[in-house]
Coordinates of all heavy atoms in Angstrom, one line a residue:
V1145 N 9.2 22.6 28.1 CA 10.3 23.3 28.6 C 10.1 24.9 28.6 O 10.3 25.6 29.6 CB 11.6 22.9 27.9 CG1 12.8 23.8 28.2 CG2 11.9 21.4 28.1
P1146 N 9.6 25.5 27.4 CA 9.3 26.9 27.5 C 8.3 27.3 28.5 O 8.4 28.3 29.1 CB 8.8 27.1 26.0 CG 9.4 26.0 25.2 CD 9.5 24.8 26.1
A1147 N 7.3 26.4 28.7 CA 6.3 26.7 29.6 C 6.9 26.7 31.1 O 6.6 27.5 31.9 CB 5.1 25.7 29.6
G1148 N 7.8 25.7 31.3 CA 8.5 25.7 32.6 C 9.2 26.9 32.8 O 9.3 27.5 34.0
F1149 N 10.0 27.3 31.8 CA 10.8 28.5 32.0 C 9.9 29.8 32.2 O 10.2 30.7 33.0 CB 11.7 28.8 30.8 CG 13.0 28.0 30.8 CD1 13.3 27.1 29.8 CD2 13.9 28.3 31.8 CE1 14.5 26.4 29.8 CE2 15.1 27.6 31.8 CZ 15.4 26.6 30.8
A1150 N 8.8 29.8 31.5 CA 7.9 31.0 31.7 C 7.3 31.0 33.1 O 7.2 32.1 33.7 CB 6.7 30.8 30.7
I1151 N 6.9 29.9 33.7 CA 6.4 29.8 35.0 C 7.5 30.2 36.0 O 7.3 30.9 36.9 CB 5.9 28.4 35.3 CG1 4.7 28.1 34.5 CG2 5.6 28.2 36.8 CD1 4.2 26.6 34.6
A1152 N 8.7 29.7 35.8 CA 9.8 30.1 36.6 C 10.1 31.6 36.6 O 10.4 32.2 37.6 CB 11.1 29.4 36.2
T1153 N 9.9 32.2 35.5 CA 10.1 33.6 35.3 C 9.1 34.4 36.2 O 9.4 35.4 36.9 CB 10.0 34.1 33.9 OG1 10.9 33.4 33.1 CG2 10.2 35.6 33.7
L1154 N 7.8 34.0 36.1 CA 6.8 34.6 37.0 C 7.1 34.4 38.5 O 6.9 35.4 39.2 CB 5.4 34.0 36.6 CG 4.9 34.3 35.2 CD1 3.6 33.6 34.9 CD2 4.7 35.8 35.0
L1155 N 7.5 33.2 38.8 CA 7.8 33.0 40.2 C 9.0 33.8 40.8 O 8.9 34.4 41.8 CB 8.1 31.5 40.5 CG 6.9 30.5 40.2 CD1 7.3 29.1 40.4 CD2 5.7 30.9 41.2
V1156 N 10.1 33.8 39.9 CA 11.3 34.6 40.4 C 10.9 36.1 40.4 O 11.4 36.8 41.3 CB 12.4 34.4 39.3 CG1 13.6 35.3 39.6 CG2 12.9 32.9 39.4
S1157 N 10.1 36.6 39.5 CA 9.8 38.0 39.5 C 8.9 38.5 40.6 O 8.8 39.5 41.1 CB 9.0 38.4 38.2 OG 9.9 38.1 37.1
S1158 N 8.1 37.4 41.2 CA 7.1 37.8 42.3 C 7.7 37.5 43.6 O 7.0 37.7 44.6 CB 5.9 37.0 42.0 OG 6.1 35.6 42.0
T1159 N 8.9 36.9 43.8 CA 9.4 36.7 45.1 C 10.6 37.6 45.3 O 11.3 38.0 44.4 CB 9.9 35.2 45.2 OG1 10.4 34.9 46.5 CG2 11.0 34.9 44.1
S1160 N 10.8 37.9 46.6 CA 12.0 38.7 47.0 C 13.2 38.0 47.5 O 14.3 38.6 47.8 CB 11.5 39.7 48.1 OG 11.0 38.9 49.3
T1161 N 13.0 36.7 47.7 CA 14.1 35.8 48.2 C 15.2 35.5 47.1 O 16.3 35.2 47.5 CB 13.6 34.6 48.8 OG1 12.9 33.8 47.9 CG2 12.7 34.9 50.1
I1162 N 14.8 35.6 45.8 CA 15.7 35.3 44.7 C 16.0 36.6 44.0 O 15.0 37.4 43.7 CB 15.0 34.3 43.8 CG1 14.7 33.0 44.5 CG2 16.0 34.0 42.6 CD1 14.0 32.0 43.7
P1163 N 17.2 36.9 43.7 CA 17.6 38.1 43.0 C 16.8 38.2 41.7 O 16.7 37.2 40.9 CB 19.1 38.0 42.7 CG 19.6 37.1 43.8 CD 18.4 36.1 44.0
G1164 N 16.3 39.4 41.3 CA 15.5 39.6 40.2 C 16.3 39.3 38.9 O 15.7 39.0 37.9
H1165 N 17.6 39.4 38.9 CA 18.4 39.1 37.7 C 18.3 37.7 37.2 O 18.5 37.4 36.0 CB 19.9 39.4 38.0 CG 20.2 40.9 38.3 ND1 19.8 41.9 37.4 CD2 20.8 41.5 39.3 CE1 20.2 43.0 37.9 NE2 20.8 42.8 39.0
A1166 N 17.9 36.8 38.2 CA 17.7 35.4 37.7 C 16.6 35.3 36.7 O 16.6 34.3 35.9 CB 17.4 34.5 38.9
A1167 N 15.6 36.2 36.8 CA 14.5 36.2 35.8 C 15.0 36.4 34.4 O 14.3 36.0 33.4 CB 13.5 37.2 36.2
V1168 N 16.1 37.0 34.2 CA 16.7 37.2 32.9 C 17.0 35.9 32.2 O 16.7 35.6 31.1 CB 17.9 38.1 32.9 CG1 18.6 38.2 31.5 CG2 17.6 39.5 33.5
G1169 N 17.6 35.0 33.1 CA 18.0 33.7 32.5 C 16.8 32.9 32.2 O 16.7 32.2 31.1
T1170 N 15.7 32.8 33.1 CA 14.5 32.1 32.8 C 13.8 32.6 31.6 O 13.2 31.9 30.9 CB 13.6 32.0 34.1 OG1 13.3 33.3 34.5 CG2 14.4 31.3 35.2
A1171 N 13.8 34.0 31.5 CA 13.1 34.5 30.3 C 13.8 34.2 29.1 O 13.1 33.9 28.0 CB 13.0 36.1 30.5
I1172 N 15.1 34.2 29.1 CA 15.9 33.8 27.8 C 15.5 32.3 27.5 O 15.4 32.0 26.3 CB 17.4 34.0 28.1 CG1 17.7 35.4 28.2 CG2 18.2 33.2 27.0 CD1 19.2 35.7 28.5

Side-chain angles (χ1 to χ4, degrees):
V1145 174
F1149 277 119
I1151 295 173
T1153 302
L1154 295 176
L1155 294 176
V1156 171
S1157 301
S1158 60
T1159 182
S1160 58
T1161 58
I1162 302 177
H1165 295 304
V1168 175
T1170 55
I1172 291 174

